[in-house]
Amino acid sequence: MASAAVHQWTPTRSAAGPYSPWLIVSIISLPTFMEVLDTSIANVSLAHIAGGLSITNDQATWVLTSYLVANAVVIPISGWLSDAIGRKRYFMISIALFTISSLLCGLAPNLTTLVLARVFQGIGGGGLAPVEQSILADTFPPEKRGMAFAAFAIVVVVGPVFGPTLGGYITEYSSWHWIFLINVPVGIAALVLVEIFVDEPEQIRKDRANLLKRGLRIDYIGVLLIFLGLGFLEITMDRGEREGWFTSGLIVSTATISVVSLLALVVWELNHDDPVIDLKLLKNRNFGLTCLVMATTGMILFGTTQLIPQMLQQVLGYSALDAGLALTAGGLATLVAVPFAGRLSDKVDVRYLLFPALLVQAGALWNMAHLTADISFADAAMARLYQSVGLPFLFVPINAIAYVGLAQTKTAQASSLLNVFRNLGGTFGISVSQTLLAGYQQVHQSYLVERLNPLDPNYTQWLGNAQGMFGDAMTPLAVLYQQVQRQATMLAFLDVFHVLMIVVLVVAPVALLMRSPKRGGGGGGGMAH
């Protein structure tokens, strides 16, 4: 084990300089919020994009896939890039690339241009959240990180919630081009503010100078394996449902490349002297377990953020905007709960926040699994609100405890890995949920159709009454089939919520296996081993 001094926090890596650390929090959160918002804002605009560019809806989904793939392959290496280029410089390069790419997306005349611009937008956006996390971990001592990461929670939790609402509003009342163009003024403002107020500490510059002095040895094989492993994994998960999973040659190929590359990556990085991604950090019990809980949080957050509006649109006939508004109450609840989560994370053993917070998520999913096809807008909003109140008590403690026991020179790498697990959790949450939804829908539809036969007196009585009402034999059958599909779809959504609830209950005890960080003692950076 490294000495306690190595793990002890010191202010020499703070990005605040002569300014208030909270000013730095607000500045660096601005571009990250812009990027996180962009991961979900385009979802509800795909039909408008397809119409505007004269392409099919399936082709339009590459607007999402291209961004997610580029984002996924950059996040793991963002810690290494931050160390090699310089943290502030890399942060500003990421903001600039994201902003310019957003402008190109908004002006794109065809699908090819839009997809290429989205790739560069994903590359730029991939470095924002990890760098912000590492800056927060270095700028605030452990006993004050709870409130700092509470501000970060607002960015990464509330962003995906408001994304569909904002995207729906923009596309309904303006044009899909503006879901990208609104990033431009925000990006320019963020660049100026970061240049003026965010400091590149002397210790960070010394660390980089030492790295370059030893010779910057680029782990080309590691980078290539990350690109192949995570890039093709993202394609597999994003396109799998549409392509029919392993009945498709494309999915078989992408999945094979991904699995082989990821296995090779683990072996290579664990045995490489200068790995581009430090997998040995996962040997730290707290960090490894927080990554697991972070993946589960991403799975629940992104999975339900996709499922709830989809359920409201498919079963209840809501517009994209109304479905997004049903999530807004949850976003407001999160905003209210975040400060309390931050203060408690600074004062209470975070293990005893994480475990109850996971149980709250399980309870919220249980409630969602008992909704009906006749719910009101208020019922849907309240279901999301129950879940959203507990999210800050998951996300803030995860980030507060993740860096305890790690050397400060490892914060950039640790931030990258945390964001990798959050993204992977979100990707799996969306993909698995959609796959389960399609399967359960077929099962329920088959079961319901089996019961619609002339031997069932309820069926014959309803059919006779309906024929008298409509005056012909075909219309009642069409109405009945529509109702069967509606009920089967609703039952499928409830089953998926049940599955997610079980996942949370299985993971919940993990929180109790974490080691309690020592508080006080010169920064509280040490850990009981």
Side-chain angles (χ1 to χ4, degrees), residues 138-335:
D138 282 346
T139 301
F140 289 84
E143 65 271 13
K144 294 184 179 179
R145 282 182 189 156
M147 285 303 296
F149 281 116
F152 183 66
I154 293 175
V155 172
V156 298
V157 177
V158 176
V161 173
F162 284 120
T165 306
L166 182 59
Y169 182 86
I170 290 173
T171 51
E172 190 164 323
Y173 293 102
S174 182
S175 163
W176 66 264
H177 299 276
W178 282 99
I179 65 174
F180 302 113
L181 294 177
I182 58 171
N183 293 330
V184 177
V186 178
I188 293 172
L191 266 177
V192 173
L193 292 172
V194 169
E195 172 61 28
I196 295 174
F197 294 104
V198 178
D199 186 37
E200 183 78 324
E202 181 64 29
Q203 188 59 50
I204 295 285
R205 292 197 291 268
K206 287 181 180 179
D207 290 343
R208 179 170 176 265
N210 291 334
L211 179 66
L212 297 177
K213 188 176 181 180
R214 294 198 311 266
L216 187 61
R217 290 175 288 181
I218 302 176
D219 181 11
Y220 291 107
I221 294 179
V223 172
L224 176 62
L225 291 174
I226 288 172
F227 278 26
L228 293 175
L230 292 180
F232 280 102
L233 175 63
E234 198 69 50
I235 294 174
T236 301
M237 301 305 293
D238 193 60
R239 303 290 303 180
E241 173 61 29
R242 298 184 186 93
E243 301 289 340
W245 287 106
F246 296 106
T247 60
S248 164
L250 171 65
I251 298 303
V252 171
S253 300
T254 56
T256 302
I257 294 171
S258 175
V259 170
V260 172
S261 299
L262 289 175
L263 290 175
L265 174 68
V266 172
V267 174
W268 176 264
E269 294 296 272
L270 289 177
N271 293 280
H272 197 266
D273 292 334
D274 292 297
V276 70
I277 178 171
D278 192 355
L279 295 178
K280 292 179 181 178
L281 290 175
L282 295 173
K283 293 180 179 179
N284 178 288
R285 180 194 288 189
N286 269 36
F287 186 72
L289 294 179
T290 52
C291 284
L292 175 60
V293 178
M294 177 65 86
T296 305
T297 303
M299 182 177 184
I300 300 306
L301 173 61
F302 287 94
T304 54
T305 299
Q306 177 105 347
L307 284 171
I308 294 173
Q310 188 178 352
M311 179 184 72
L312 296 178
Q313 292 179 72
Q314 291 184 7
V315 178
L316 299 176
Y318 283 30
S319 67
L321 178 58
D322 289 338
L325 286 173
L327 301 182
T328 303
L332 296 175
T334 300
L335 286 174

Side-chain angles (χ1 to χ4, degrees), residues 94-118:
S94 297
I95 296 172
L97 182 57
F98 186 87
T99 304
I100 294 170
S101 301
S102 296
L103 177 63
L104 295 176
C105 286
L107 300 177
N110 52 55
L111 178 63
T112 302
T113 305
L114 180 55
V115 169
L116 285 174
R118 284 284 279 177

